[in-house]
Structures are given as C-alpha cells and as structure tokens.
Amino acid sequence: MRTYRNYRLCIWIFLLSLCCWSCSSRDAGDAGYFCYNESTGIASLDPAFAKNQSIMWAAHQLYNTLVEVDSNLQIKPSLATRWEISEDGMVYRFFLRPDVVFHDDPCFPGGKGRRMLASDVVYSLKRIMNPATASSGAWIFNDRVKEKDGFVAINDTVLEVHLIAPFPPILGILSMQYCSVLPKEAVDFYGPDFRSHPVGTGPFQFVALEEGQALIMKRNPSYFETDENGRQLPYLRGIKISFSDSKATEFLLFRQGKLHFVNDIDASFKDEILTKSGGLRKNWEGKITLNKHAYLNIEYLGILVDSNNALVKTSPLRSRAIRQALNYGFDRRKLMLYLRNSIGIAAESGFVPAGLPSFDSLEVRGYRFDPIKARKLLEDAGFPEGKGLPEIRLLTVPIYSELASYIVREWQELGIPVKVEVVQKSFLLEQTAQSQALFFRGSWIADYPDAENYLSVFYGKNPAPPNYTRYHNPAFDQLYEKSLTETNDSLRFELYRQMDRMILEDAPVVPLWYDEVIHLVQPFVKNFEPNSLNLLELRRVEINDN
C-alpha cells in the first residue's frame, strides 16, 4: 500500500504540471497531444461499465478486445489473429497474438507489464458475468454463452467460447468495449480504485485523472500494432480530455484552436456553421473540416401496443390504422432539411438504419409523407378528418421539443389531435420501462453492428428494455429465432428484412431518421476518420500544426 500511495503522489505532481501545460495553447498541437472535451464527464475507466459513449471512447484508447469492427462494419482481428467456428456454430476458437503486453504499472512486479495470455481473456469475460462485478454489460452473454465453462483457455495463446445455441452476432458482441481485456493483478491491486486507474493493452496508457478537470493518457511504447509501412502505432504522443460541462465553452475553445475536434454541433451553433443542406457555410470553409458519416442510431417515436395493458385498451393508438396514419402524416424530409440541417437521413426504409450490411431500401420500403393515405386510414378507423378522435399525448425530452412540435403541427392539419408533453429524461425512462408511456420519443444506438440488435427491440419474449413498445407477434418471433441459428449471411439478412417489413406493417413505432456522426475537426489534424459506431479512433491520427 505504501508503494501505491507513493505512486499516487507522483501522479498528482505530474498531473499538476500537465494542468499548467494544458491544451489551452497551440503548443499542445506541437507536443503531439490530442485534446478534446467530454462535457458529460467520464464516470469510470473500468470497461465493465462502458455503457455510454464517454466511457467507450476512453476504453477504446486504453484496452483491446479479441476482435474489432473496421470502418466498413466488418469484424477484423485485434488481440486474436484468427478464429475458427465449429460446424454446429456452438464453439468459437480464438488464436491470440503472442506479442501483446499489458501497460507498465505498479500492480506488476517491478512495475513492468507482462505478456497477455488466454487466461487473461477468460478472466476478463467471466468478470463481466460475475454478479459481484455488477457490470452494466452483464446482459451481453445472457442466454448466449454457457454459464459454466463458457470461456476456456486451451493454452496461453488459444481460448474457446462455448455457446448455448448458435448466435452469429457473437463476434460483434466480443468487439464491444465491455469485452476489453485486463489483468487480474490490476483489479486486485487497486480494488475499487481500478475505476480511476485502468491497466490494459491499448495504444494509450493511463497517466492521471483529476475528476471534473482532466484525464491524461500517453502513448504506449510497447503497443503491438504497426501501419502498412511498419511504423508503430499510435502516432500521437498522448491524449488530454477536459471536462467542461458547457457546450458554449467547448465550442469557444475549439474556435480558438485549443481543442482538436468537437463531437456533434450544439443546436445553438448549428445554423451559424451549417447550411440547410448540411454543408459548411462559406465563412467557415478552409477554417475547419466537417466530417459526416452514417451512424448506427435510429430516432423514432414509440407506441405502446400491449393489448393486455389497461392504458392501451382505452387508447386510440390501439388501432393499427391510426398508427399507420401517424406514419404517413408528416414530411420527414422537410423535418431533416429545416430542423436538422440535413444531419441524418429521413427514415423511410424501416427500423433497421442505413449503414448496416443488411440494410436495403429497395427491399424494405417504409413510410413517406402521404396525407391522402393518412386521411383514408383515419376514415377507415372511424374518425373521418379526425372527428371524434381523442387527444393523444406525446412524451418527449426538452432537447426534442421543437422537433416534436413540428411533427404535431403536421398531424393537427390532418385532424389528428396530438399534444406534446415535455418531461425530464429520467421520468421518460421510468415511464417507458414500466409500460406507462403510450406514445414516447425514443432512440436506439447499436451495441454491435448487426441488425439483430435492432430487431431484438420487438422480440416478444424480451422485457422493457429493450421491448419498450411491448410488441408481440408470434410470426415475428418465429423469424427472429430462426435468424439466430442461420449462419449464412445472405439468408439471415433476408430474414432480417422480412421482420423489418412486419414492423412497418404493424407500426408499433414511427421511424424519424437514421442518424449521422458529425464532427468539426481542426484542419491541421490528419487521418481523423469517423465510423458508423462513432468510436473515437486515434491510432493513426497525426497533428501537423506548423
């Protein structure tokens, strides 16, 4: 413990010197440190709790997983060089790199990081499942991996994953930050403090954290990856993350060149920077770089459709015709143009978003603005021109109130009486989880790059979450279960599209848009590439601030 206290004292001294250095000048660029702000803070650096973007971004720098997802959403090797799948699809055998070492850290004898072994992978994955860990990612292996002997180290470089039943998306799950590999010594050495003192194998290693102020990482000199020319990755000397909770301050620092990029654009600055068509305004051209990329997130309005729920029995939304009328009754493209500055794609092809390999806008045709069809559906439901239709209450959070009001105005023109009720996010989450919200704003971000993750939202045996609408269709469930055992990608994708068409027909949701990642990047930052999972990828980034 004395060694640990002395180490922590040295870290705090180092942190104070770094705080004096700061990213508040262009010298930070010269020093090769990449600077960004995380306005929500970082609750933990333990990957077992990587449940939101801020933690996932940090974990992606500090740790590695067996496999990872490339820019085309294909699974590629990382800690594993290759893998084999048994004929029955129940056993995955992974062959590990022999040259991976953990970061140097006082948790190891002499402070020298040791070689990573298959037993470390087994420990890390079992730790997620261990109730004592209380990991927010414990669900990822539920009913998928055998509880006993699900993870087995054959020797130092080979391990196996044993499934309960075939599940092709398991490789995508193993790419999640929850599945990052870490050493048992670090967890034992730091105990509860491991959340703020991570040890991994990633391209960057932990230096210091002052909660609410800054997180510092430095280049891992022993990192195993090289580029196509044999140059060792990463190129950067390090990363500094600040924690200002003001988006206005963040944008000001970016304009001054003190931050290297900004994730997303705050609504208050959107019209200043972007044209309605989603490009940079002329006065910003050449001063900053705009990066846009499909993002695996769908924004939607959810409708509770559980016919056994007393609320649903008295709701006009129990009628499929009314739900379909809502879908036809507003112009998604105008919404994107005027309120979103064309950030995202109008969701006219189902619930599964653009960007996934199984997405096909020709095979899955969704709803487009058609007021004639909407009025006909209202008439078929017994409410011509909306006459006699009871008022429908739409729950949304403050940041989406303007969007909701725009949609509601278009519905009201058709005679559909919808009222927007703005509530706090915590209340909305509680209401949807307890099946007390009849009509609500929602979104679904991919946990892993497979359409199964989106279609699970409607699987009748799933609770809320993820099945917030409480949708239950035996025909859908049968296709869903069949897709889990189908190892042929083409056949599985067709099953996915059949399920998506069912969702469109039954209309338990009103898809709004498929999201896009949007980054503002300094022009002197090179090789900064966005991706569909919106992971912060910095291994090949260089700063040429000359």
Side-chain angles (χ1 to χ4, degrees):
M1 287 302 294
R2 180 178 297 174
T3 301
Y4 181 31
R5 292 191 193 101
N6 291 340
Y7 178 79
R8 285 177 66 88
L9 178 61
C10 293
I11 285 296
W12 289 122
I13 292 171
F14 183 67
L15 177 60
L16 286 172
S17 67
L18 280 170
C19 286
C20 293
W21 160 76
S22 183
C23 275
S24 60
S25 72
R26 294 293 283 272
D27 292 339
D30 295 336
Y33 275 75
F34 186 89
C35 303
Y36 75 95
N37 183 66
E38 186 52 73
S39 60
T40 62
I42 298 177
S44 176
L45 294 170
D46 184 340
F49 302 93
K51 65 179 180 179
N52 58 37
Q53 180 177 277
S54 63
I55 303 175
M56 287 189 284
W57 279 11
H60 189 57
Q61 318 311 321
L62 295 163
Y63 303 94
N64 294 100
T65 48
L66 280 173
V67 294
E68 63 181 4
V69 180
D70 67 14
S71 58
N72 296 316
L73 296 180
Q74 299 299 311
I75 302 294
K76 70 174 188 177
S78 182
L79 294 176
T81 58
R82 62 188 179 90
W83 53 91
E84 297 173 351
I85 306 172
S86 63
E87 287 187 16
D88 62 4
M90 302 270 280
V91 180
Y92 286 67
R93 174 172 281 204
F94 294 90
F95 299 84
L96 304 182
R97 297 183 63 113
D99 57 348
V100 180
V101 295
F102 288 110
H103 301 149
D104 291 347
D105 190 89
C107 71
F108 299 115
K112 184 69 175 176
R114 64 165 175 81
R115 179 185 166 202
M116 184 210 71
L117 307 173
S119 57
D120 296 308
V121 183
V122 171
Y123 167 75
S124 301
L125 299 181
K126 282 186 174 180
R127 180 173 177 260
I128 302 169
M129 300 175 73
N130 188 343
T133 306
S135 169
S136 53
W139 62 271
I140 64 176
F141 296 131
N142 286 350
D143 302 320
R144 292 166 180 164
V145 176
K146 290 183 177 179
E147 192 169 344
K148 184 180 179 181
D149 298 328
F151 305 106
V152 180
I154 305 302
N155 55 43
D156 285 350
T157 59
V158 180
L159 75 139
E160 290 182 346
V161 178
H162 294 255
L163 304 183
I164 296 170
F167 185 67
I170 190 65
L171 288 172
I173 286 178
L174 290 170
S175 74
M176 296 171 68
Q177 273 59 58
Y178 283 128
C179 299
S180 299
V181 177
L182 46 88
K184 186 176 185 296
E185 295 97 316
V187 178
D188 292 343
F189 187 78
Y190 293 109
D193 285 336
F194 181 69
R195 62 172 290 279
S196 56
H197 195 108
V199 181
T201 61
F204 299 92
Q205 64 188 75
F206 176 79
V207 174
L209 169 66
E210 184 178 354
E211 296 196 28
Q213 297 298 318
L215 168 63
I216 311 295
M217 305 180 212
K218 67 177 181 180
R219 182 177 185 268
N220 174 10
S222 302
Y223 191 57
F224 58 87
E225 282 191 283
T226 58
D227 66 14
E228 54 279 359
N229 297 315
R231 182 182 174 190
Q232 188 183 23
L233 299 175
Y235 302 143
L236 294 166
R237 287 185 60 198
I239 303 168
K240 179 179 178 186
I241 307 167
S242 58
F243 297 128
S244 172
D245 60 3
S246 167
K247 296 297 286 185
T249 299
E250 178 182 274
F251 185 63
L252 176 63
L253 291 173
F254 175 75
R255 289 186 65 174
Q256 294 172 346
K258 298 171 184 178
L259 296 177
H260 289 118
F261 98 112
V262 171
N263 179 50
D264 207 356
I265 303 177
D266 191 80
S268 55
F269 314 125
K270 187 175 57 183
D271 290 329
E272 177 189 342
I273 300 169
L274 300 179
T275 64
K276 290 300 181 186
S277 60
L280 280 176
R281 291 192 176 276
K282 286 195 175 294
N283 55 317
W284 287 99
E285 290 178 1
K287 297 177 182 177
I288 60 175
T289 301
L290 174 66
N291 278 351
K292 294 173 72 176
H293 195 280
Y295 177 30
L296 296 185
N297 174 46
I298 183 172
E299 298 288 333
Y300 68 95
L301 304 178
I303 303 169
L304 191 63
V305 293
D306 180 5
S307 59
N308 295 318
N309 188 306
L311 293 173
V312 175
K313 289 178 180 178
T314 59
S315 169
L317 295 177
R318 70 185 183 279
S319 166
R320 184 170 67 177
I322 298 294
R323 301 195 299 268
Q324 291 178 341
L326 290 172
N327 270 287
Y328 281 120
F330 70 101
D331 193 330
R332 292 167 176 80
R333 297 188 182 190
K334 280 175 59 178
L335 172 78
M336 301 308 296
L337 182 64
Y338 294 115
L339 273 75
R340 292 276 303 166
N341 293 77
S342 302
I343 301 171
I345 304 168
E348 297 177 341
S349 302
F351 192 78
V352 175
L356 282 168
S358 61
F359 179 86
D360 189 326
S361 60
L362 297 178
E363 290 290 327
V364 181
R365 296 180 181 274
Y367 294 93
R368 295 191 178 185
F369 181 49
D370 192 331
I372 295 174
K373 280 188 178 179
R375 289 190 176 95
K376 179 66 167 59
L377 286 162
L378 287 175
E379 185 177 341
D380 292 345
F383 302 102
E385 301 296 325
K387 292 175 183 177
L389 188 63
E391 184 177 76
I392 301 167
R393 190 173 58 136
L394 171 61
L395 296 183
T396 188
V397 293
I399 194 171
Y400 286 94
S401 60
E402 184 182 5
L403 288 160
S405 296
Y406 169 86
I407 298 169
V408 164
R409 283 194 296 271
E410 294 212 346
W411 282 334
Q412 289 172 343
E413 289 181 11
L414 295 171
I416 306 174
V418 181
K419 179 183 178 182
V420 176
E421 184 171 332
V422 178
V423 298
Q424 293 305 309
K425 184 177 181 180
S426 58
F427 178 79
L428 182 58
L429 290 173
E430 179 184 349
Q431 290 284 291
T432 52
Q434 295 179 1
S435 299
Q436 295 297 307
L438 281 167
F439 196 24
F440 55 90
R441 174 263 163 190
S443 66
W444 192 263
I445 301 172
D447 295 304
Y448 43 90
D450 194 289
E452 179 275 335
N453 191 224
Y454 286 89
L455 297 166
S456 68
V457 173
F458 304 101
Y459 182 48
K461 296 179 183 179
N462 279 341
N467 190 353
Y468 290 110
T469 65
R470 306 306 299 136
Y471 178 76
H472 178 62
N473 180 335
F476 179 96
D477 291 351
Q478 186 176 12
L479 288 175
Y480 178 82
E481 290 167 1
K482 184 179 179 181
S483 73
L484 298 182
T485 62
E486 180 54 69
T487 56
N488 181 293
D489 286 347
S490 296
L491 296 177
R492 191 169 73 257
F493 291 169
E494 178 51 37
L495 292 172
Y496 289 163
R497 290 190 280 266
Q498 285 183 50
M499 285 184 272
D500 211 359
R501 289 192 289 266
M502 281 187 183
I503 294 302
L504 288 169
E505 180 67 20
D506 289 338
V509 290
V510 179
L512 299 178
W513 70 85
Y514 312 127
D515 216 348
E516 282 186 314
V517 172
I518 183 163
H519 295 153
L520 301 180
V521 188
Q522 299 291 0
F524 52 85
V525 174
K526 307 301 179 186
N527 306 324
F528 185 86
E529 300 294 336
N531 54 75
S532 295
L533 291 174
N534 197 20
L535 271 180
L536 183 62
E537 181 50 66
L538 297 177
R539 281 172 288 187
R540 294 172 180 267
V541 167
E542 294 186 90
I543 299 172
N544 298 325
D545 185 15
N546 298 319

